[in-house]
Amino acid sequence: MDNVILKNVRPFVNGNFEAATTISIVDGVFRDSAPEGTPVVDVNGALAIPALFALGIDFQEPKRDDIYTYRDGFRAMHRGGFYGGLYESTANPVDGIQRLVAEKAALGYQGYDIRVLGAINQNYEAKALAEMCELADGGVAGFGDGNKAFGSMRFLRLCLEYGAMTKKRFFFLPYDYSLAHGGYVNEGNFSDMIGMKGVPEQAETLPLFSLLEMSRWLGVPMHIKQVTSKSALNLIRRAREMGVDVTCDVDIHHLLFCDEEVATLNTSLNLHPPVRSSDDRDALWQGLADGTIQAVSINHFPVHREDKEVNFEDAVPGAISLEIALPALWNRLTERLGEKRAVEVLSSKPAEIAGADVVSLAPGKKASLVVFDPNGVTDVTSKTFAGGVENSPFLGQTLSGKILGSYVAGIWG
């Protein structure tokens, strides 16, 4: 493990950033002092933020290691200041104990706190139940749909009734593929203007209502991934008033973009689900502010260049964000929500949802932090990203704020 002394750094302690001080990290733990000869890094008043936790990471290995690998993903996490994440791979469903053992071995050796979602059904095909009880005993964080259709109402009921025995939370992306009907963008005035197939908000709200009603009926805790619309938020608020145990997150890209910006035809904005209207985006920000939305999700999904360098409607949906999430979000989060809430939605709340340990900057604690200069700038280029992919809508932009270094998994850099 690296030892390092951070000089002139402002640590986040008890909900606030303190005055500039010195932090010593020895053998991966915060200490009052460090041995003579320990490297000293002067960060000139930058912030020491508890390391971040990523909801929605998918490195695609082993089935699609031609696109991306675990190693690429760990490098991306370190660059972005993430100490852990909730892993769910669309290409590699964890539907049995052997797959779980292999996945945990591959994800655990680098020292990151990676929690794994088990699949609710075999191969995400909505035909046969996964081995949920065995997976729970094996340590899955919960059960997810792999962002695929969950099947008939009867099959969903069977999944939830069986999984309820484990006391684990279920993670769903509400999306009706028949209503989406091959759409690429939000349905509305903008989709009409550019002549593209639109996805109505009812493709989200109708399955969401079913999921929330199932959760209320069967008493199963649920997490809704990537809420996109004002109407969906209202359904979640109403469900909570009825006593439903439901949490939710919002994707970084749905906070920062809306359907009007798809006019650039940047294929990195071809996302699943699509970004929605500016009114919906405003509602998502309000949902973060009032606590309806607990956390920001990263949804890091690498896509081959050749699968993005095509017409918008032919592109594979998805974007990467681990490396640039903090500079893309920080100043906007703090302006709207304050510094304490910004740390919560990027670090502690995502970790709590995944059942992971929450990190803090306190003497004697395990060291996990990211040093960030909110006054710096980040030029997003191909070299910003780990691996051979660059499918980010921020490519070519200059972001406000700069990561100066991170101490995660025992490594400073």
Side-chain angles (χ1 to χ4, degrees), residues 18-35:
E18 296 187 338
T21 186
T22 298
I23 292 177
S24 298
I25 302 176
V26 179
D27 296 330
V29 176
F30 292 112
R31 301 295 187 191
D32 294 330
S33 61

Side-chain angles (χ1 to χ4, degrees), residues 264-398:
T264 62
L265 298 181
N266 181 349
T267 56
S268 289
L269 280 173
N270 185 332
L271 303 170
H272 174 62
V275 292
R276 299 209 177 269
S277 71
S278 57
D279 287 342
D280 287 312
R281 181 177 58 182
D282 291 342
L284 295 174
W285 278 105
Q286 181 57 42
L288 267 183
D290 65 25
T292 304
I293 301 173
Q294 283 70 48
V296 174
S297 56
I298 301 306
N299 293 306
H300 184 86
F301 188 81
V303 177
H304 263 316
R305 290 188 186 185
E306 53 263 38
D307 290 328
K308 284 294 190 180
E309 294 175 350
V310 293
N311 293 330
F312 188 91
E313 59 269 28
D314 296 323
V316 174
I320 54 175
S321 54
L322 282 168
E323 297 93 336
I324 48 80
L326 188 56
L329 278 169
W330 180 257
N331 286 332
R332 302 186 210 201
L333 284 173
T334 55
E335 287 170 4
R336 290 173 178 254
L337 309 180
E339 294 173 339
K340 180 179 179 181
R341 181 70 175 143
V343 172
E344 286 179 350
V345 300
L346 291 174
S347 182
S348 59
K349 291 301 182 181
E352 290 173 3
I353 289 169
D357 295 330
V358 174
V359 300
S360 61
L361 312 186
K365 294 284 189 178
K366 181 179 178 180
S368 289
L369 60 80
V370 53
V371 178
F372 182 73
D373 178 6
N375 299 314
V377 295
T378 298
D379 295 319
V380 184
T381 69
S382 297
K383 294 181 179 179
T384 302
F385 303 106
V389 298
E390 53 183 33
N391 56 303
S392 167
F394 296 104
L395 184 66
Q397 295 188 21
T398 297

Side-chain angles (χ1 to χ4, degrees), residues 89-346:
S89 176
T90 59
N92 304 278
V94 177
D95 53 12
I97 194 65
Q98 291 182 329
R99 289 192 176 188
L100 175 61
V101 170
E103 196 77 89
K104 290 178 71 172
L107 291 167
Y109 76 97
Q110 287 282 358
Y112 292 83
D113 190 355
I114 307 293
R115 305 300 166 110
V116 178
L117 279 184
I120 62 171
N121 56 68
Q122 292 182 21
N123 291 316
Y124 298 134
E125 293 176 348
K127 294 180 179 179
L129 300 180
E131 300 170 5
M132 284 185 270
C133 286
E134 291 185 16
L135 291 170
D137 290 341
V140 294
F143 300 101
D145 60 357
N147 298 343
K148 303 291 183 68
F150 51 69
S152 68
M153 288 296 105
R154 173 170 170 73
F155 184 74
L156 176 62
R157 177 185 179 180
L158 293 175
C159 288
L160 294 177
E161 286 182 326
Y162 178 43
M165 294 187 290
T166 70
K167 309 297 183 183
K168 298 285 186 179
R169 190 171 294 272
F170 282 78
F171 291 69
F172 285 101
L173 177 73
Y175 196 82
D176 189 308
Y177 288 85
S178 63
L179 278 176
H181 195 58
Y184 318 110
V185 297
N186 180 51
E187 181 177 283
N189 293 335
F190 180 74
S191 63
D192 292 342
M193 182 183 72
I194 62 176
M196 281 191 180
K197 287 184 178 180
V199 179
E201 71 171 25
Q202 286 76 17
E204 176 180 35
T205 56
L206 288 174
L208 174 59
F209 179 83
S210 297
L211 289 167
L212 294 173
E213 183 66 4
M214 283 283 192
S215 179
R216 184 185 71 84
W217 178 25
L218 302 174
V220 176
M222 196 167 286
H223 179 84
I224 305 302
K225 299 180 285 186
Q226 297 175 250
V227 175
T228 73
S229 67
K230 179 179 180 180
S231 297
L233 286 177
N234 287 336
L235 286 174
I236 291 170
R237 290 188 180 101
R238 194 174 309 144
R240 289 204 186 121
E241 291 171 359
M242 298 171 65
V244 177
D245 182 0
V246 56
T247 56
C248 65
D249 65 62
V250 59
D251 178 289
I252 172 178
H253 301 105
H254 291 83
L255 276 180
L256 300 179
F257 296 95
C258 67
D259 57 1
E260 297 169 12
E261 288 153 305
V262 178
T264 62
L265 298 181
N266 181 349
T267 56
S268 289
L269 280 173
N270 185 332
L271 303 170
H272 174 62
V275 292
R276 299 209 177 269
S277 71
S278 57
D279 287 342
D280 287 312
R281 181 177 58 182
D282 291 342
L284 295 174
W285 278 105
Q286 181 57 42
L288 267 183
D290 65 25
T292 304
I293 301 173
Q294 283 70 48
V296 174
S297 56
I298 301 306
N299 293 306
H300 184 86
F301 188 81
V303 177
H304 263 316
R305 290 188 186 185
E306 53 263 38
D307 290 328
K308 284 294 190 180
E309 294 175 350
V310 293
N311 293 330
F312 188 91
E313 59 269 28
D314 296 323
V316 174
I320 54 175
S321 54
L322 282 168
E323 297 93 336
I324 48 80
L326 188 56
L329 278 169
W330 180 257
N331 286 332
R332 302 186 210 201
L333 284 173
T334 55
E335 287 170 4
R336 290 173 178 254
L337 309 180
E339 294 173 339
K340 180 179 179 181
R341 181 70 175 143
V343 172
E344 286 179 350
V345 300
L346 291 174

